[in-house]
Amino acid sequence: MAYTGKELRSTATEDGRLTLTLEDVTLDAPGDDEVIVRVEAAPINPSDLGLLLGPADIGSLEAIDGGVAFGIPQGRLGGVKARLGQSLPVGNEGAGTVVAAGANAAALEGKLVGMLGGGMYTQYRKLKTRDVVPLPEGATAADGASMFVNPLTALAFVETMRMEGHSAIVHTAAASNLGQMLQKICTADGVPLVNIVRSEEQAAILRGIGATYVLNSKDADFRAQLVDAIAETKATLAFDAIGGGSLGSDIVQSMEQAAVRNMTEYSRYGSNSFKQLYIYGALDLGPTVMNRLAFGFQWSVGGFLLTPFMQKAGQEVVGRMRQRVVDELKTTFASNYTRTIGLAEALEPEVLRAYEKKATGEKYLIDPTR
């Protein structure tokens, strides 16, 4: 039996235009190790917005017949050259009910599952059985919609800390859904965590779930607080969701300043403390500014992505991470949504402007059945 439904697509073209439209998509019967899922919930994560809106100038938004369109600044076209002319499905993860299953997946039919694999802003999605996880008893599609990207990333931060020999973490944009999950993990696992936020309201969210170190980057004495917190926790690893600007540089410099406090003699090469900054987000699209002469020479800056981490960590580690998410789905890894919208609503200009802001504490969920 074939299944036909609407799917949200993003298309960038060489003439500097990006369009979002709903397209009809028909899926044929699943193969032996495949299932077809009726998608009932899919979150809008910052990583989804990177594909959905990518290089678009949001200020140029205009309604068109069947969707919305944006201009792409000429300077950004080169960064998306590989996708020009392609109509791309969007949405990293989601949850829904298995409506058809292949011969080797019959036990999944009728089950509510979480899904990872892209193209989730759609009414029906065909997937390999390895890309779906049955939800625990009593869980809803909304509970399982965000069970992969944020939970596994937060767990990957702690796994990275252990694998690389660090003992504490610094995290920016820390009041996000991911940040709250990371705080809960660190509390449970006894890992010191220094949280950096941009407002007292965000700080209150983290203190409310038991955070010990919460710093407001807007405070006049933020840098002094940061050095003190790093000195107390001995944090030498940071994960930065901001990307642009100098906050990452400030963190590494504060790590060096904390390490220098314990030096007994001067070295023109700085401390022997190795400091690692990973940039995993782009809330600020500007250039990353690094004051490298303030760090000594024992430091590194790199990008962090979940999929390469999982490939490096191996099946045993990833299996353990996934099982923990299932076990703690409604506690540690619970996501809160401020609004649920349908596929068509996602293309309404005012709604789109709202979720594109990526505001802390505001998370949107798409329900394609609406």
Side-chain angles (χ1 to χ4, degrees):
M1 177 180 176
Y3 288 83
T4 299
K6 297 288 186 183
E7 181 171 84
L8 181 57
R9 294 293 188 97
S10 174
T11 306
T13 52
E14 292 183 1
D15 60 355
R17 191 170 172 85
L18 185 142
T19 58
L20 304 180
T21 55
L22 291 179
E23 308 292 340
D24 288 320
V25 175
T26 298
L27 304 177
D28 55 13
D32 287 349
D33 296 301
E34 294 180 325
V35 293
I36 293 178
V37 180
R38 181 179 65 240
V39 183
E40 296 160 10
I44 301 177
N45 294 314
S47 56
D48 299 312
L49 292 174
L51 179 59
L52 184 72
L53 300 170
D57 172 10
I58 302 303
S60 67
L61 185 155
E62 61 174 306
I64 60 172
D65 186 26
V68 291
F70 308 84
I72 301 175
Q74 190 63 35
R76 298 180 187 175
L77 272 175
V80 292
K81 186 175 181 180
R83 67 168 286 187
L84 295 178
Q86 300 180 59
S87 176
L88 299 177
V90 186
N92 286 317
E93 61 184 336
T97 302
V98 176
V99 294
N104 299 330
L108 288 171
E109 191 154 2
K111 299 281 189 181
L112 196 60
V113 296
M115 306 173 283
L116 182 69
M120 296 298 171
Y121 298 165
T122 184
Q123 292 178 317
Y124 294 99
R125 182 72 168 89
K126 183 193 289 187
L127 291 156
K128 296 288 187 181
T129 54
R130 65 172 181 264
D131 295 324
V132 304
V133 175
L135 299 186
E137 191 70 29
T140 66
D143 292 330
S146 296
M147 69 181 295
F148 292 101
V149 175
N150 283 346
L152 292 179
T153 300
L155 287 169
F157 290 173
V158 177
E159 292 289 344
T160 297
M161 180 201 74
R162 292 171 177 145
M163 290 164 59
E164 296 186 358
H166 303 277
S167 59
I169 297 171
V170 179
H171 185 223
T172 70
S176 65
N177 264 11
L178 187 156
Q180 293 177 54
M181 291 177 188
L182 180 61
Q183 179 58 60
K184 293 174 183 177
I185 294 166
C186 289
T187 298
D189 292 8
V191 175
L193 175 65
V194 178
N195 297 283
I196 298 175
V197 297
R198 291 181 291 179
S199 72
E200 282 307 309
E201 291 78 12
Q202 294 171 1
I205 291 171
L206 289 165
R207 292 191 185 105
I209 59 172
T212 300
Y213 299 95
V214 187
L215 310 183
N216 184 349
S217 62
K218 301 297 185 184
D219 286 348
D221 62 344
F222 164 67
R223 286 289 300 280
Q225 291 183 50
L226 182 58
V227 176
D228 287 343
I230 289 172
E232 289 180 30
T233 60
K234 297 180 173 57
T236 51
L237 173 67
F239 292 93
D240 179 27
I242 308 299
S246 62
L247 181 57
S249 179
D250 293 342
I251 294 169
V252 180
Q253 184 172 348
S254 296
M255 290 176 177
E256 176 67 4
Q257 289 175 315
V260 166
R261 289 182 178 181
N262 296 319
M263 290 178 63
T264 57
E265 60 182 56
Y266 169 77
S267 168
R268 66 183 182 275
Y269 300 115
S271 75
N272 289 325
S273 174
F274 181 76
K275 304 159 289 289
Q276 175 69 58
L277 170 68
Y278 284 115
I279 298 172
Y280 77 95
L283 295 178
D284 183 336
L285 298 177
T288 301
V289 180
M290 303 300 294
N291 183 19
R292 60 184 178 81
L293 295 181
F295 309 155
F297 283 81
Q298 292 286 340
W299 59 275
S300 179
V301 177
F304 186 93
L305 286 173
L306 177 61
T307 300
F309 165 82
M310 292 194 298
Q311 291 170 343
K312 182 171 66 174
Q315 292 184 353
E316 181 180 345
V317 172
V318 173
R320 170 163 46 81
M321 291 164 59
R322 284 193 172 196
Q323 188 58 54
R324 183 169 180 177
V325 175
V326 172
D327 293 343
E328 303 175 31
L329 185 61
K330 301 187 76 169
T331 53
T332 305
F333 302 108
S335 290
N336 299 308
Y337 303 99
T338 52
R339 184 172 176 183
T340 300
I341 59 176
L343 283 172
E345 288 177 275
L347 300 184
E348 294 177 4
E350 291 307 310
V351 175
L352 190 152
R353 290 190 186 97
Y355 65 69
E356 186 277 333
K357 289 180 181 177
K358 302 183 285 289
T360 299
E362 295 184 16
K363 191 171 181 68
Y364 279 61
L365 186 71
I366 294 178
D367 177 357
T369 69
R370 288 167 66 105

